[in-house]
Amino acid sequence: MSDPIPTSTSVTESAVISAPLAQVWHLIKLQSFHRFWSALKSASYIKEPATSPETDIVKWEFKDGTVQDVKQEEHSSIDHFITYSVIASTPALTYSSVISTIRCYAVTSGEKEGSTFVTWSGNFSSDADAGVIEDARFKRKEALADLAAAVKKEFK
């Protein structure tokens, strides 16, 4: 049996979206991701009996049948970022954990002034393999393209 190929356990993808920060940020809510991400069928708040009233957990149902419970870890309307973790998944994940952050920045000068620079990072546990990282990279690129299209459609 060969040893697994060493790989980075983090990924960051980014895009410049041709829309003002306020329009892009408007869609960056865990319960609203299905409004832009074409891979999602639905997103809805759930409350677990064991969680505090301040805990936000959203159920994401993907079109491929995957269901994930996503916990909002941090949110800033001032600095325009959201951090979340996957706390449950059906089918089960092949790695222990992942924490992801989406950050939005206003482009304030240059050719793209008035646009929004968006990054979507993921930090995976050390048991995530290269296939997991590449899949995450692809999904983030796809979702960022979907976000750009959704903003364009919603605010034309």
Side-chain angles (χ1 to χ4, degrees):
M1 179 186 248
S2 64
D3 290 331
I5 299 170
T7 186
S8 172
T9 56
S10 65
V11 62
T12 300
E13 292 300 325
S14 62
V16 175
I17 297 177
S18 297
L21 174 64
Q23 291 178 1
V24 176
W25 181 243
H26 175 72
L27 293 175
I28 309 296
K29 314 286 182 278
L30 293 180
Q31 72 279 8
S32 300
F33 273 37
H34 67 291
R35 290 178 52 201
F36 73 85
W37 194 3
S38 63
L40 278 179
K41 181 169 79 173
S42 66
S44 57
Y45 276 115
I46 59 172
K47 283 293 180 184
E48 297 292 330
T51 63
S52 70
E54 299 85 32
T55 304
D56 287 332
I57 300 174
V58 174
K59 180 179 296 299
W60 283 351
E61 294 185 49
F62 289 84
K63 291 177 181 172
D64 70 359
T66 301
V67 177
Q68 294 182 335
D69 293 349
V70 180
K71 179 183 174 199
Q72 182 171 290
E73 302 289 351
E74 193 171 7
H75 175 272
S76 175
S77 292
I78 295 170
D79 292 323
H80 301 102
F81 73 90
I82 185 168
T83 300
Y84 64 92
S85 61
V86 177
I87 60 171
S89 182
T90 304
L93 300 174
T94 59
Y95 47 91
S96 303
S97 65
V98 59
I99 190 160
S100 299
T101 300
I102 299 174
R103 293 184 183 274
C104 298
Y105 304 89
V107 178
T108 60
S109 64
E111 187 178 309
K112 296 290 185 174
E113 183 176 349
S115 296
T116 305
F117 179 66
V118 182
T119 64
W120 193 337
S121 64
N123 292 298
F124 293 81
S125 53
S126 62
D127 56 346
D129 64 20
V132 167
I133 302 306
E134 281 307 305
D135 185 57
R137 183 177 318 285
F138 170 79
K139 286 178 178 167
R140 280 166 176 73
K141 284 183 176 184
E142 178 183 66
L144 287 168
D146 289 347
L147 177 60
V151 169
K152 186 175 183 179
K153 182 179 177 184
E154 187 163 325
F155 296 100
K156 45 176 162 169

PDB file of all heavy atoms in Angstrom, residues 2-41:
ATOM      1  N   SER A   2       0.601   2.175  -0.875  1.00  0.00           N
ATOM      2  CA  SER A   2       1.419   3.393  -0.945  1.00  0.00           C
ATOM      3  C   SER A   2       0.887   4.448   0.016  1.00  0.00           C
ATOM      4  O   SER A   2      -0.284   4.458   0.374  1.00  0.00           O
ATOM      5  CB  SER A   2       1.439   3.930  -2.368  1.00  0.00           C
ATOM      6  OG  SER A   2       0.148   4.328  -2.739  1.00  0.00           O
ATOM      7  N   ASP A   3       1.792   5.312   0.401  1.00  0.00           N
ATOM      8  CA  ASP A   3       1.409   6.409   1.287  1.00  0.00           C
ATOM      9  C   ASP A   3       0.604   7.432   0.493  1.00  0.00           C
ATOM     10  O   ASP A   3       0.827   7.626  -0.704  1.00  0.00           O
ATOM     11  CB  ASP A   3       2.653   7.089   1.865  1.00  0.00           C
ATOM     12  CG  ASP A   3       3.384   6.194   2.855  1.00  0.00           C
ATOM     13  OD1 ASP A   3       2.712   5.361   3.502  1.00  0.00           O
ATOM     14  OD2 ASP A   3       4.613   6.337   2.980  1.00  0.00           O
ATOM     15  N   PRO A   4      -0.325   8.137   1.176  1.00  0.00           N
ATOM     16  CA  PRO A   4      -1.074   9.185   0.481  1.00  0.00           C
ATOM     17  C   PRO A   4      -0.135  10.313   0.037  1.00  0.00           C
ATOM     18  O   PRO A   4       0.893  10.557   0.656  1.00  0.00           O
ATOM     19  CB  PRO A   4      -2.071   9.692   1.518  1.00  0.00           C
ATOM     20  CG  PRO A   4      -1.685   9.090   2.821  1.00  0.00           C
ATOM     21  CD  PRO A   4      -0.706   7.992   2.563  1.00  0.00           C
ATOM     22  N   ILE A   5      -0.505  10.972  -1.024  1.00  0.00           N
ATOM     23  CA  ILE A   5       0.281  12.092  -1.530  1.00  0.00           C
ATOM     24  C   ILE A   5       0.064  13.285  -0.608  1.00  0.00           C
ATOM     25  O   ILE A   5      -1.077  13.664  -0.328  1.00  0.00           O
ATOM     26  CB  ILE A   5      -0.156  12.447  -2.966  1.00  0.00           C
ATOM     27  CG1 ILE A   5       0.079  11.271  -3.890  1.00  0.00           C
ATOM     28  CG2 ILE A   5       0.548  13.703  -3.458  1.00  0.00           C
ATOM     29  CD1 ILE A   5      -0.526  11.427  -5.261  1.00  0.00           C
ATOM     30  N   PRO A   6       1.156  13.880  -0.106  1.00  0.00           N
ATOM     31  CA  PRO A   6       0.991  15.063   0.747  1.00  0.00           C
ATOM     32  C   PRO A   6       0.314  16.194  -0.036  1.00  0.00           C
ATOM     33  O   PRO A   6       0.579  16.380  -1.220  1.00  0.00           O
ATOM     34  CB  PRO A   6       2.421  15.470   1.108  1.00  0.00           C
ATOM     35  CG  PRO A   6       3.257  14.282   0.797  1.00  0.00           C
ATOM     36  CD  PRO A   6       2.552  13.523  -0.276  1.00  0.00           C
ATOM     37  N   THR A   7      -0.553  16.914   0.618  1.00  0.00           N
ATOM     38  CA  THR A   7      -1.263  18.001  -0.045  1.00  0.00           C
ATOM     39  C   THR A   7      -1.570  19.108   0.949  1.00  0.00           C
ATOM     40  O   THR A   7      -1.631  18.864   2.154  1.00  0.00           O
ATOM     41  CB  THR A   7      -2.565  17.486  -0.687  1.00  0.00           C
ATOM     42  OG1 THR A   7      -3.166  18.539  -1.434  1.00  0.00           O
ATOM     43  CG2 THR A   7      -3.556  16.986   0.335  1.00  0.00           C
ATOM     44  N   SER A   8      -1.769  20.280   0.439  1.00  0.00           N
ATOM     45  CA  SER A   8      -2.220  21.397   1.265  1.00  0.00           C
ATOM     46  C   SER A   8      -3.637  21.096   1.725  1.00  0.00           C
ATOM     47  O   SER A   8      -4.415  20.471   1.007  1.00  0.00           O
ATOM     48  CB  SER A   8      -2.216  22.686   0.446  1.00  0.00           C
ATOM     49  OG  SER A   8      -2.820  23.712   1.166  1.00  0.00           O
ATOM     50  N   THR A   9      -3.978  21.527   2.910  1.00  0.00           N
ATOM     51  CA  THR A   9      -5.335  21.297   3.393  1.00  0.00           C
ATOM     52  C   THR A   9      -6.133  22.595   3.413  1.00  0.00           C
ATOM     53  O   THR A   9      -7.079  22.738   4.159  1.00  0.00           O
ATOM     54  CB  THR A   9      -5.321  20.652   4.796  1.00  0.00           C
ATOM     55  OG1 THR A   9      -4.558  21.479   5.677  1.00  0.00           O
ATOM     56  CG2 THR A   9      -4.758  19.248   4.743  1.00  0.00           C
ATOM     57  N   SER A  10      -5.725  23.536   2.584  1.00  0.00           N
ATOM     58  CA  SER A  10      -6.500  24.765   2.463  1.00  0.00           C
ATOM     59  C   SER A  10      -6.644  25.132   0.994  1.00  0.00           C
ATOM     60  O   SER A  10      -5.846  24.725   0.155  1.00  0.00           O
ATOM     61  CB  SER A  10      -5.844  25.910   3.239  1.00  0.00           C
ATOM     62  OG  SER A  10      -4.596  26.235   2.676  1.00  0.00           O
ATOM     63  N   VAL A  11      -7.685  25.880   0.722  1.00  0.00           N
ATOM     64  CA  VAL A  11      -7.959  26.331  -0.636  1.00  0.00           C
ATOM     65  C   VAL A  11      -8.555  27.731  -0.546  1.00  0.00           C
ATOM     66  O   VAL A  11      -9.308  28.024   0.377  1.00  0.00           O
ATOM     67  CB  VAL A  11      -8.915  25.357  -1.365  1.00  0.00           C
ATOM     68  CG1 VAL A  11     -10.251  25.258  -0.689  1.00  0.00           C
ATOM     69  CG2 VAL A  11      -9.090  25.732  -2.817  1.00  0.00           C
ATOM     70  N   THR A  12      -8.186  28.582  -1.486  1.00  0.00           N
ATOM     71  CA  THR A  12      -8.802  29.909  -1.600  1.00  0.00           C
ATOM     72  C   THR A  12      -9.019  30.202  -3.070  1.00  0.00           C
ATOM     73  O   THR A  12      -8.103  30.084  -3.876  1.00  0.00           O
ATOM     74  CB  THR A  12      -7.918  31.012  -0.982  1.00  0.00           C
ATOM     75  OG1 THR A  12      -7.721  30.734   0.403  1.00  0.00           O
ATOM     76  CG2 THR A  12      -8.574  32.384  -1.126  1.00  0.00           C
ATOM     77  N   GLU A  13     -10.238  30.556  -3.403  1.00  0.00           N
ATOM     78  CA  GLU A  13     -10.581  30.987  -4.751  1.00  0.00           C
ATOM     79  C   GLU A  13     -11.114  32.410  -4.659  1.00  0.00           C
ATOM     80  O   GLU A  13     -11.617  32.818  -3.607  1.00  0.00           O
ATOM     81  CB  GLU A  13     -11.616  30.061  -5.384  1.00  0.00           C
ATOM     82  CG  GLU A  13     -11.092  28.673  -5.681  1.00  0.00           C
ATOM     83  CD  GLU A  13      -9.912  28.667  -6.632  1.00  0.00           C
ATOM     84  OE1 GLU A  13      -9.865  29.510  -7.551  1.00  0.00           O
ATOM     85  OE2 GLU A  13      -9.022  27.817  -6.468  1.00  0.00           O
ATOM     86  N   SER A  14     -10.991  33.156  -5.743  1.00  0.00           N
ATOM     87  CA  SER A  14     -11.427  34.550  -5.710  1.00  0.00           C
ATOM     88  C   SER A  14     -11.989  34.962  -7.059  1.00  0.00           C
ATOM     89  O   SER A  14     -11.754  34.301  -8.076  1.00  0.00           O
ATOM     90  CB  SER A  14     -10.262  35.458  -5.326  1.00  0.00           C
ATOM     91  OG  SER A  14      -9.237  35.376  -6.295  1.00  0.00           O
ATOM     92  N   ALA A  15     -12.732  36.081  -7.023  1.00  0.00           N
ATOM     93  CA  ALA A  15     -13.304  36.637  -8.246  1.00  0.00           C
ATOM     94  C   ALA A  15     -13.553  38.125  -8.046  1.00  0.00           C
ATOM     95  O   ALA A  15     -13.775  38.572  -6.916  1.00  0.00           O
ATOM     96  CB  ALA A  15     -14.617  35.943  -8.588  1.00  0.00           C
ATOM     97  N   VAL A  16     -13.504  38.847  -9.143  1.00  0.00           N
ATOM     98  CA  VAL A  16     -13.946  40.236  -9.144  1.00  0.00           C
ATOM     99  C   VAL A  16     -15.328  40.232  -9.783  1.00  0.00           C
ATOM    100  O   VAL A  16     -15.496  39.778 -10.922  1.00  0.00           O
ATOM    101  CB  VAL A  16     -12.981  41.148  -9.927  1.00  0.00           C
ATOM    102  CG1 VAL A  16     -13.544  42.566 -10.015  1.00  0.00           C
ATOM    103  CG2 VAL A  16     -11.609  41.154  -9.274  1.00  0.00           C
ATOM    104  N   ILE A  17     -16.307  40.710  -9.032  1.00  0.00           N
ATOM    105  CA  ILE A  17     -17.690  40.735  -9.506  1.00  0.00           C
ATOM    106  C   ILE A  17     -18.048  42.172  -9.865  1.00  0.00           C
ATOM    107  O   ILE A  17     -17.859  43.087  -9.056  1.00  0.00           O
ATOM    108  CB  ILE A  17     -18.641  40.152  -8.441  1.00  0.00           C
ATOM    109  CG1 ILE A  17     -18.264  38.675  -8.215  1.00  0.00           C
ATOM    110  CG2 ILE A  17     -20.101  40.302  -8.864  1.00  0.00           C
ATOM    111  CD1 ILE A  17     -19.053  37.964  -7.151  1.00  0.00           C
ATOM    112  N   SER A  18     -18.546  42.345 -11.057  1.00  0.00           N
ATOM    113  CA  SER A  18     -18.846  43.686 -11.576  1.00  0.00           C
ATOM    114  C   SER A  18     -20.152  44.223 -10.989  1.00  0.00           C
ATOM    115  O   SER A  18     -21.162  44.373 -11.692  1.00  0.00           O
ATOM    116  CB  SER A  18     -18.921  43.656 -13.101  1.00  0.00           C
ATOM    117  OG  SER A  18     -17.681  43.284 -13.632  1.00  0.00           O
ATOM    118  N   ALA A  19     -20.110  44.489  -9.695  1.00  0.00           N
ATOM    119  CA  ALA A  19     -21.261  45.050  -8.981  1.00  0.00           C
ATOM    120  C   ALA A  19     -20.743  45.651  -7.683  1.00  0.00           C
ATOM    121  O   ALA A  19     -19.727  45.201  -7.153  1.00  0.00           O
ATOM    122  CB  ALA A  19     -22.290  43.960  -8.691  1.00  0.00           C
ATOM    123  N   PRO A  20     -21.441  46.650  -7.156  1.00  0.00           N
ATOM    124  CA  PRO A  20     -21.016  47.253  -5.892  1.00  0.00           C
ATOM    125  C   PRO A  20     -21.094  46.265  -4.726  1.00  0.00           C
ATOM    126  O   PRO A  20     -21.881  45.316  -4.745  1.00  0.00           O
ATOM    127  CB  PRO A  20     -22.017  48.397  -5.677  1.00  0.00           C
ATOM    128  CG  PRO A  20     -22.678  48.615  -6.994  1.00  0.00           C
ATOM    129  CD  PRO A  20     -22.605  47.309  -7.731  1.00  0.00           C
ATOM    130  N   LEU A  21     -20.276  46.500  -3.726  1.00  0.00           N
ATOM    131  CA  LEU A  21     -20.209  45.638  -2.543  1.00  0.00           C
ATOM    132  C   LEU A  21     -21.585  45.368  -1.943  1.00  0.00           C
ATOM    133  O   LEU A  21     -21.910  44.226  -1.607  1.00  0.00           O
ATOM    134  CB  LEU A  21     -19.284  46.269  -1.500  1.00  0.00           C
ATOM    135  CG  LEU A  21     -19.199  45.578  -0.143  1.00  0.00           C
ATOM    136  CD1 LEU A  21     -18.615  44.182  -0.268  1.00  0.00           C
ATOM    137  CD2 LEU A  21     -18.373  46.409   0.821  1.00  0.00           C
ATOM    138  N   ALA A  22     -22.422  46.384  -1.789  1.00  0.00           N
ATOM    139  CA  ALA A  22     -23.733  46.211  -1.156  1.00  0.00           C
ATOM    140  C   ALA A  22     -24.587  45.181  -1.881  1.00  0.00           C
ATOM    141  O   ALA A  22     -25.306  44.399  -1.251  1.00  0.00           O
ATOM    142  CB  ALA A  22     -24.467  47.551  -1.071  1.00  0.00           C
ATOM    143  N   GLN A  23     -24.513  45.146  -3.205  1.00  0.00           N
ATOM    144  CA  GLN A  23     -25.312  44.194  -3.972  1.00  0.00           C
ATOM    145  C   GLN A  23     -24.797  42.769  -3.805  1.00  0.00           C
ATOM    146  O   GLN A  23     -25.582  41.826  -3.692  1.00  0.00           O
ATOM    147  CB  GLN A  23     -25.327  44.586  -5.451  1.00  0.00           C
ATOM    148  CG  GLN A  23     -26.093  45.862  -5.712  1.00  0.00           C
ATOM    149  CD  GLN A  23     -26.064  46.261  -7.173  1.00  0.00           C
ATOM    150  OE1 GLN A  23     -25.485  45.597  -8.021  1.00  0.00           O
ATOM    151  NE2 GLN A  23     -26.692  47.393  -7.474  1.00  0.00           N
ATOM    152  N   VAL A  24     -23.494  42.599  -3.784  1.00  0.00           N
ATOM    153  CA  VAL A  24     -22.914  41.262  -3.609  1.00  0.00           C
ATOM    154  C   VAL A  24     -23.156  40.776  -2.181  1.00  0.00           C
ATOM    155  O   VAL A  24     -23.627  39.657  -1.961  1.00  0.00           O
ATOM    156  CB  VAL A  24     -21.408  41.274  -3.947  1.00  0.00           C
ATOM    157  CG1 VAL A  24     -20.779  39.919  -3.668  1.00  0.00           C
ATOM    158  CG2 VAL A  24     -21.186  41.686  -5.390  1.00  0.00           C
ATOM    159  N   TRP A  25     -22.863  41.630  -1.204  1.00  0.00           N
ATOM    160  CA  TRP A  25     -22.997  41.254   0.214  1.00  0.00           C
ATOM    161  C   TRP A  25     -24.429  40.859   0.537  1.00  0.00           C
ATOM    162  O   TRP A  25     -24.666  40.001   1.379  1.00  0.00           O
ATOM    163  CB  TRP A  25     -22.512  42.405   1.100  1.00  0.00           C
ATOM    164  CG  TRP A  25     -22.582  42.095   2.553  1.00  0.00           C
ATOM    165  CD1 TRP A  25     -23.349  42.722   3.493  1.00  0.00           C
ATOM    166  CD2 TRP A  25     -21.863  41.084   3.268  1.00  0.00           C
ATOM    167  NE1 TRP A  25     -23.151  42.164   4.734  1.00  0.00           N
ATOM    168  CE2 TRP A  25     -22.241  41.155   4.613  1.00  0.00           C
ATOM    169  CE3 TRP A  25     -20.931  40.112   2.876  1.00  0.00           C
ATOM    170  CZ2 TRP A  25     -21.728  40.299   5.587  1.00  0.00           C
ATOM    171  CZ3 TRP A  25     -20.423  39.257   3.850  1.00  0.00           C
ATOM    172  CH2 TRP A  25     -20.819  39.353   5.182  1.00  0.00           C
ATOM    173  N   HIS A  26     -25.388  41.451  -0.135  1.00  0.00           N
ATOM    174  CA  HIS A  26     -26.811  41.154   0.066  1.00  0.00           C
ATOM    175  C   HIS A  26     -27.111  39.655  -0.060  1.00  0.00           C
ATOM    176  O   HIS A  26     -27.998  39.131   0.616  1.00  0.00           O
ATOM    177  CB  HIS A  26     -27.634  41.960  -0.944  1.00  0.00           C
ATOM    178  CG  HIS A  26     -29.086  41.685  -0.932  1.00  0.00           C
ATOM    179  ND1 HIS A  26     -29.925  42.103   0.086  1.00  0.00           N
ATOM    180  CD2 HIS A  26     -29.864  41.009  -1.812  1.00  0.00           C
ATOM    181  CE1 HIS A  26     -31.151  41.698  -0.173  1.00  0.00           C
ATOM    182  NE2 HIS A  26     -31.147  41.035  -1.322  1.00  0.00           N
ATOM    183  N   LEU A  27     -26.368  38.940  -0.895  1.00  0.00           N
ATOM    184  CA  LEU A  27     -26.621  37.515  -1.128  1.00  0.00           C
ATOM    185  C   LEU A  27     -25.792  36.587  -0.229  1.00  0.00           C
ATOM    186  O   LEU A  27     -26.027  35.377  -0.219  1.00  0.00           O
ATOM    187  CB  LEU A  27     -26.344  37.170  -2.591  1.00  0.00           C
ATOM    188  CG  LEU A  27     -27.302  37.793  -3.602  1.00  0.00           C
ATOM    189  CD1 LEU A  27     -26.851  37.476  -5.014  1.00  0.00           C
ATOM    190  CD2 LEU A  27     -28.726  37.318  -3.377  1.00  0.00           C
ATOM    191  N   ILE A  28     -24.835  37.128   0.517  1.00  0.00           N
ATOM    192  CA  ILE A  28     -23.928  36.281   1.297  1.00  0.00           C
ATOM    193  C   ILE A  28     -24.519  36.029   2.687  1.00  0.00           C
ATOM    194  O   ILE A  28     -24.083  36.575   3.691  1.00  0.00           O
ATOM    195  CB  ILE A  28     -22.518  36.908   1.404  1.00  0.00           C
ATOM    196  CG1 ILE A  28     -21.991  37.294   0.037  1.00  0.00           C
ATOM    197  CG2 ILE A  28     -21.557  35.951   2.118  1.00  0.00           C
ATOM    198  CD1 ILE A  28     -21.769  36.126  -0.908  1.00  0.00           C
ATOM    199  N   LYS A  29     -25.559  35.214   2.715  1.00  0.00           N
ATOM    200  CA  LYS A  29     -26.207  34.768   3.947  1.00  0.00           C
ATOM    201  C   LYS A  29     -26.394  33.257   3.800  1.00  0.00           C
ATOM    202  O   LYS A  29     -26.852  32.806   2.755  1.00  0.00           O
ATOM    203  CB  LYS A  29     -27.577  35.427   4.130  1.00  0.00           C
ATOM    204  CG  LYS A  29     -27.619  36.928   3.889  1.00  0.00           C
ATOM    205  CD  LYS A  29     -26.978  37.723   4.995  1.00  0.00           C
ATOM    206  CE  LYS A  29     -27.063  39.214   4.770  1.00  0.00           C
ATOM    207  NZ  LYS A  29     -26.050  39.779   3.897  1.00  0.00           N
ATOM    208  N   LEU A  30     -26.024  32.491   4.808  1.00  0.00           N
ATOM    209  CA  LEU A  30     -26.087  31.024   4.686  1.00  0.00           C
ATOM    210  C   LEU A  30     -27.449  30.540   4.216  1.00  0.00           C
ATOM    211  O   LEU A  30     -27.548  29.624   3.405  1.00  0.00           O
ATOM    212  CB  LEU A  30     -25.728  30.363   6.012  1.00  0.00           C
ATOM    213  CG  LEU A  30     -24.291  30.510   6.487  1.00  0.00           C
ATOM    214  CD1 LEU A  30     -24.104  29.806   7.823  1.00  0.00           C
ATOM    215  CD2 LEU A  30     -23.306  29.976   5.462  1.00  0.00           C
ATOM    216  N   GLN A  31     -28.515  31.155   4.721  1.00  0.00           N
ATOM    217  CA  GLN A  31     -29.864  30.728   4.364  1.00  0.00           C
ATOM    218  C   GLN A  31     -30.269  31.188   2.960  1.00  0.00           C
ATOM    219  O   GLN A  31     -31.322  30.805   2.471  1.00  0.00           O
ATOM    220  CB  GLN A  31     -30.877  31.220   5.406  1.00  0.00           C
ATOM    221  CG  GLN A  31     -31.145  32.712   5.378  1.00  0.00           C
ATOM    222  CD  GLN A  31     -30.112  33.555   6.099  1.00  0.00           C
ATOM    223  OE1 GLN A  31     -29.080  33.084   6.523  1.00  0.00           O
ATOM    224  NE2 GLN A  31     -30.414  34.848   6.229  1.00  0.00           N
ATOM    225  N   SER A  32     -29.423  31.979   2.300  1.00  0.00           N
ATOM    226  CA  SER A  32     -29.737  32.491   0.959  1.00  0.00           C
ATOM    227  C   SER A  32     -28.828  31.937  -0.133  1.00  0.00           C
ATOM    228  O   SER A  32     -28.959  32.320  -1.290  1.00  0.00           O
ATOM    229  CB  SER A  32     -29.632  34.025   0.951  1.00  0.00           C
ATOM    230  OG  SER A  32     -30.534  34.588   1.865  1.00  0.00           O
ATOM    231  N   PHE A  33     -27.894  31.066   0.218  1.00  0.00           N
ATOM    232  CA  PHE A  33     -26.935  30.579  -0.780  1.00  0.00           C
ATOM    233  C   PHE A  33     -27.623  29.931  -1.980  1.00  0.00           C
ATOM    234  O   PHE A  33     -27.121  29.995  -3.092  1.00  0.00           O
ATOM    235  CB  PHE A  33     -25.950  29.599  -0.147  1.00  0.00           C
ATOM    236  CG  PHE A  33     -24.748  30.250   0.478  1.00  0.00           C
ATOM    237  CD1 PHE A  33     -24.835  31.458   1.142  1.00  0.00           C
ATOM    238  CD2 PHE A  33     -23.515  29.639   0.415  1.00  0.00           C
ATOM    239  CE1 PHE A  33     -23.734  32.053   1.732  1.00  0.00           C
ATOM    240  CE2 PHE A  33     -22.401  30.218   0.997  1.00  0.00           C
ATOM    241  CZ  PHE A  33     -22.514  31.417   1.653  1.00  0.00           C
ATOM    242  N   HIS A  34     -28.775  29.311  -1.764  1.00  0.00           N
ATOM    243  CA  HIS A  34     -29.479  28.671  -2.876  1.00  0.00           C
ATOM    244  C   HIS A  34     -29.983  29.697  -3.895  1.00  0.00           C
ATOM    245  O   HIS A  34     -30.299  29.335  -5.027  1.00  0.00           O
ATOM    246  CB  HIS A  34     -30.636  27.813  -2.364  1.00  0.00           C
ATOM    247  CG  HIS A  34     -31.750  28.601  -1.744  1.00  0.00           C
ATOM    248  ND1 HIS A  34     -31.615  29.269  -0.541  1.00  0.00           N
ATOM    249  CD2 HIS A  34     -33.001  28.850  -2.180  1.00  0.00           C
ATOM    250  CE1 HIS A  34     -32.747  29.881  -0.258  1.00  0.00           C
ATOM    251  NE2 HIS A  34     -33.602  29.644  -1.227  1.00  0.00           N
ATOM    252  N   ARG A  35     -30.017  30.968  -3.520  1.00  0.00           N
ATOM    253  CA  ARG A  35     -30.432  32.024  -4.451  1.00  0.00           C
ATOM    254  C   ARG A  35     -29.368  32.289  -5.507  1.00  0.00           C
ATOM    255  O   ARG A  35     -29.664  32.883  -6.537  1.00  0.00           O
ATOM    256  CB  ARG A  35     -30.762  33.301  -3.690  1.00  0.00           C
ATOM    257  CG  ARG A  35     -32.033  33.176  -2.866  1.00  0.00           C
ATOM    258  CD  ARG A  35     -32.339  34.420  -2.080  1.00  0.00           C
ATOM    259  NE  ARG A  35     -32.347  35.628  -2.904  1.00  0.00           N
ATOM    260  CZ  ARG A  35     -32.183  36.845  -2.404  1.00  0.00           C
ATOM    261  NH1 ARG A  35     -31.990  37.023  -1.123  1.00  0.00           N
ATOM    262  NH2 ARG A  35     -32.217  37.891  -3.207  1.00  0.00           N
ATOM    263  N   PHE A  36     -28.128  31.869  -5.225  1.00  0.00           N
ATOM    264  CA  PHE A  36     -27.086  32.075  -6.245  1.00  0.00           C
ATOM    265  C   PHE A  36     -26.338  30.806  -6.610  1.00  0.00           C
ATOM    266  O   PHE A  36     -25.925  30.654  -7.748  1.00  0.00           O
ATOM    267  CB  PHE A  36     -26.093  33.178  -5.817  1.00  0.00           C
ATOM    268  CG  PHE A  36     -25.131  32.812  -4.716  1.00  0.00           C
ATOM    269  CD1 PHE A  36     -23.946  32.152  -4.998  1.00  0.00           C
ATOM    270  CD2 PHE A  36     -25.404  33.158  -3.403  1.00  0.00           C
ATOM    271  CE1 PHE A  36     -23.042  31.836  -3.993  1.00  0.00           C
ATOM    272  CE2 PHE A  36     -24.502  32.851  -2.390  1.00  0.00           C
ATOM    273  CZ  PHE A  36     -23.329  32.188  -2.681  1.00  0.00           C
ATOM    274  N   TRP A  37     -26.144  29.866  -5.688  1.00  0.00           N
ATOM    275  CA  TRP A  37     -25.311  28.703  -5.958  1.00  0.00           C
ATOM    276  C   TRP A  37     -26.136  27.627  -6.652  1.00  0.00           C
ATOM    277  O   TRP A  37     -27.019  27.027  -6.040  1.00  0.00           O
ATOM    278  CB  TRP A  37     -24.707  28.200  -4.660  1.00  0.00           C
ATOM    279  CG  TRP A  37     -23.588  27.227  -4.812  1.00  0.00           C
ATOM    280  CD1 TRP A  37     -23.020  26.779  -5.952  1.00  0.00           C
ATOM    281  CD2 TRP A  37     -22.889  26.574  -3.748  1.00  0.00           C
ATOM    282  NE1 TRP A  37     -22.013  25.892  -5.680  1.00  0.00           N
ATOM    283  CE2 TRP A  37     -21.916  25.756  -4.325  1.00  0.00           C
ATOM    284  CE3 TRP A  37     -23.000  26.614  -2.366  1.00  0.00           C
ATOM    285  CZ2 TRP A  37     -21.060  24.963  -3.572  1.00  0.00           C
ATOM    286  CZ3 TRP A  37     -22.147  25.832  -1.614  1.00  0.00           C
ATOM    287  CH2 TRP A  37     -21.181  25.025  -2.217  1.00  0.00           C
ATOM    288  N   SER A  38     -25.845  27.366  -7.917  1.00  0.00           N
ATOM    289  CA  SER A  38     -26.655  26.448  -8.716  1.00  0.00           C
ATOM    290  C   SER A  38     -26.612  25.001  -8.220  1.00  0.00           C
ATOM    291  O   SER A  38     -27.497  24.217  -8.538  1.00  0.00           O
ATOM    292  CB  SER A  38     -26.223  26.502 -10.186  1.00  0.00           C
ATOM    293  OG  SER A  38     -24.883  26.066 -10.338  1.00  0.00           O
ATOM    294  N   ALA A  39     -25.620  24.637  -7.419  1.00  0.00           N
ATOM    295  CA  ALA A  39     -25.520  23.279  -6.888  1.00  0.00           C
ATOM    296  C   ALA A  39     -26.535  23.026  -5.763  1.00  0.00           C
ATOM    297  O   ALA A  39     -26.848  21.873  -5.453  1.00  0.00           O
ATOM    298  CB  ALA A  39     -24.113  23.004  -6.367  1.00  0.00           C
ATOM    299  N   LEU A  40     -27.048  24.095  -5.154  1.00  0.00           N
ATOM    300  CA  LEU A  40     -27.982  23.961  -4.030  1.00  0.00           C
ATOM    301  C   LEU A  40     -29.430  23.956  -4.504  1.00  0.00           C
ATOM    302  O   LEU A  40     -29.825  24.783  -5.320  1.00  0.00           O
ATOM    303  CB  LEU A  40     -27.808  25.121  -3.040  1.00  0.00           C
ATOM    304  CG  LEU A  40     -26.695  25.028  -2.030  1.00  0.00           C
ATOM    305  CD1 LEU A  40     -26.659  26.280  -1.156  1.00  0.00           C
ATOM    306  CD2 LEU A  40     -26.812  23.802  -1.160  1.00  0.00           C
ATOM    307  N   LYS A  41     -30.194  23.035  -3.933  1.00  0.00           N
ATOM    308  CA  LYS A  41     -31.624  22.981  -4.195  1.00  0.00           C
ATOM    309  C   LYS A  41     -32.368  23.887  -3.216  1.00  0.00           C
ATOM    310  O   LYS A  41     -33.296  24.594  -3.594  1.00  0.00           O
ATOM    311  CB  LYS A  41     -32.125  21.533  -4.066  1.00  0.00           C
ATOM    312  CG  LYS A  41     -33.608  21.358  -4.341  1.00  0.00           C
ATOM    313  CD  LYS A  41     -33.983  19.893  -4.451  1.00  0.00           C
ATOM    314  CE  LYS A  41     -34.103  19.275  -3.088  1.00  0.00           C
ATOM    315  NZ  LYS A  41     -34.626  17.899  -3.123  1.00  0.00           N
TER     316      LYS A  41
END
